[in-house]
Amino acid sequence: QVQLVESGGGLVQAGGSLRLSCAASGRTFVTSNMAWFRQAPGKEREFVAAINWSGGRAYYLDSVKGRFTISRDNAKNMVYLQMNSLETGDTAVYYCAADIDSSTFRYSSAPTYDYWGQGTQVTVSS
């Protein structure tokens, strides 16, 4: 029902910025809660940021608050993650995820999400 494709990753120096994009297809996108997760080498996948279907609510991992901003443009079927003041600890593969069936939004829980993108690599150098 929903297909997600991430882009925008790359290599950046600490303190720099990147904007990740998630292009969504599927009729249910505009009613889907969306999130970004990441997985660093040797670590489990972790929640980074989430946004509800309307864009009126956003949630963040504590360590990225004030640095990252999640946003969406439903007219364009796009979700973004603006990442500023990047740190080496942000190095990971970043995944876009969609929750199409939630009545309550357990935003930080990976099993909440029904669809996942392929991931985009973000590497932050010191």
Side-chain angles (χ1 to χ4, degrees):
Q1 184 77 286
V2 177
Q3 293 179 292
L4 306 172
V5 179
E6 303 96 332
S7 62
L11 175 64
V12 64
Q13 294 182 30
S17 297
L18 286 172
R19 188 179 77 159
L20 306 184
S21 298
C22 175
S25 63
R27 294 182 298 276
T28 62
F29 173 76
V30 297
T31 62
S32 298
N33 302 311
M34 304 293 297
W36 290 93
F37 284 71
R38 67 188 182 188
Q39 188 165 18
K43 296 184 178 180
E44 295 184 352
R45 189 169 299 187
E46 69 174 347
F47 166 78
V48 177
I51 190 166
N52 76 336
W53 72 270
S54 71
R57 297 287 185 273
Y59 310 90
Y60 297 95
L61 177 68
D62 284 346
S63 64
V64 309
K65 288 180 179 177
R67 301 189 297 119
F68 291 10
T69 303
I70 188 170
S71 61
R72 67 191 298 162
D73 186 340
N74 287 346
K76 297 180 179 179
N77 287 358
M78 297 290 291
V79 180
Y80 306 99
L81 185 68
Q82 178 67 46
M83 305 186 295
N84 298 326
S85 301
L86 282 161
E87 304 169 354
T88 56
D90 297 318
T91 295
V93 177
Y94 283 71
Y95 298 91
C96 182
D99 169 26
I100 65 170
D101 60 5
S102 64
S103 297
T104 59
F105 190 23
R106 298 178 62 187
Y107 57 84
S108 65
S109 178
T112 291
Y113 298 92
D114 305 290
Y115 297 94
W116 296 82
Q118 83 287 351
T120 186
Q121 176 71 47
V122 172
T123 302
V124 183
S125 65
S126 61

